[in-house]
Amino acid sequence: FPTRRSSDLPYGDSGSFLADPAFEAVFGWQTAQKTMADLSGGLLHPLVVNAMAAPEPGLASEYRFGSDRRPYAHQLRSWELLSNPLKQSLVVTSGTGSGKTECFLVPILDRLIREHVSLGSPLIGVRALFLYPLNALINSQRYRLRAWTYGLNGAVRFCLYNGMTPETLPAGEARIGSEICDRKTLRKTPPPILVTNASMLEYMLVRTQDLPILESSKGKLEWIILDEAQIGRASCRERG
């Protein structure tokens, strides 16, 4: 513990408990020339652009991505690569707050809504598997997914599956928006987006009760997202 003398000394002085303050310049990220409205109907489906511009009311202040907004250049480049018919993987490494999640989430939502429109029915079975190392990181995606699936009217559902997911919802508790909040519903109608961790995925592959998830998803898995990998965040798209 610091002594009174060491804590009273000026910053950076010999024997001082506190070092000199450090300042690091952070430069703004380069924006693309096109707005979200420019991308609507072309690179991105209009329903996705509209849903991002009008998220769930309680989450609008943090997650609204307006149609007049210009995405960052690295976001747009990621969307272009991941929407290409040629299947390929993408590794995104960028600074904190640079919108890396949007790099993979937006093209996934776009792909899912296009499939939904084409089929004309709800999507059953996992198409996108998000793997996070910590439950806190899994939970951090809940509000963004709620916000951006709100305007899709249930066309794109998701589930955060970890050790805290209840077998059934408590009496009187209703499902919120597009989120599946209990294991019973998850197994009955697996959503196209499943957010989990490596340990839960391993259990899911061997547990008999989770077999319906695998059966409903057979041949449908298209996206595997590895977040917080040692080399940085990675978005890997695979189609089998």
Side-chain angles (χ1 to χ4, degrees):
F1 294 97
T3 64
R4 181 175 180 180
R5 169 173 160 68
S6 64
S7 59
D8 288 343
L9 289 172
Y11 302 144
D13 275 13
S14 178
S16 174
F17 178 69
L18 298 176
D20 285 327
F23 298 91
E24 182 178 353
V26 177
F27 300 96
W29 309 104
Q30 182 180 357
T31 56
Q33 295 299 315
K34 294 182 178 180
T35 65
M36 295 296 287
D38 295 330
L39 302 175
S40 180
L43 182 64
L44 300 178
H45 196 284
L47 289 176
V48 174
V49 175
N50 293 340
M52 294 176 66
E56 185 177 335
L59 302 172
S61 61
E62 184 172 358
Y63 294 108
R64 182 178 181 275
F65 208 100
S67 58
D68 59 342
R69 180 169 171 176
R70 286 184 170 84
Y72 293 131
H74 62 274
Q75 292 175 332
L76 179 56
R77 182 56 179 156
S78 298
W79 301 347
E80 292 170 343
L81 289 170
L82 294 176
S83 65
N84 194 308
L86 177 63
K87 291 74 176 177
Q88 54 195 315
S89 297
L90 175 67
V91 176
V92 179
T93 59
S94 187
T96 301
S98 62
K100 293 185 289 295
T101 299
E102 286 85 347
C103 288
F104 61 79
L105 184 53
V106 172
I108 288 176
L109 292 176
D110 181 76
R111 169 66 180 158
L112 294 178
I113 198 63
R114 289 177 190 270
E115 184 180 359
H116 167 74
V117 171
S118 176
L119 294 176
S121 60
L123 301 180
I124 306 296
V126 178
R127 272 77 166 171
L129 179 64
F130 293 30
L131 292 176
Y132 287 82
L134 301 172
N135 284 339
L137 295 172
I138 293 175
N139 293 330
S140 70
Q141 295 303 320
R142 168 174 279 121
Y143 296 110
R144 189 191 305 270
L145 285 166
R146 279 187 186 175
W148 289 353
T149 58
Y150 171 78
L152 300 177
N153 299 317
V156 177
R157 298 170 304 126
F158 70 94
C159 179
L160 276 57
Y161 190 27
N162 58 29
M164 301 301 293
T165 306
E167 188 66 28
T168 58
L169 284 179
E173 184 174 328
R175 181 170 63 88
I176 301 175
S178 299
E179 183 180 4
I180 291 177
C181 301
D182 65 282
R183 302 186 185 200
K184 182 178 180 180
T185 306
L186 168 63
R187 293 163 182 154
K188 183 178 180 180
T189 56
I193 296 177
L194 182 63
V195 186
T196 187
N197 55 52
S199 296
M200 205 67 182
L201 176 61
E202 184 177 358
Y203 292 144
M204 188 171 62
L205 293 174
V206 299
R207 283 194 300 216
T208 303
Q209 58 265 44
D210 283 339
L211 183 60
I213 303 174
L214 304 180
E215 292 292 335
S216 296
S217 307
K218 187 178 297 183
K220 298 176 181 178
L221 182 62
E222 185 176 358
W223 306 80
I224 299 176
I225 310 302
L226 304 177
D227 205 345
E228 300 296 343
Q230 289 183 353
I231 58 173
R233 290 188 176 182
S235 169
C236 302
R237 182 183 184 186
E238 300 178 358
R239 184 180 295 176

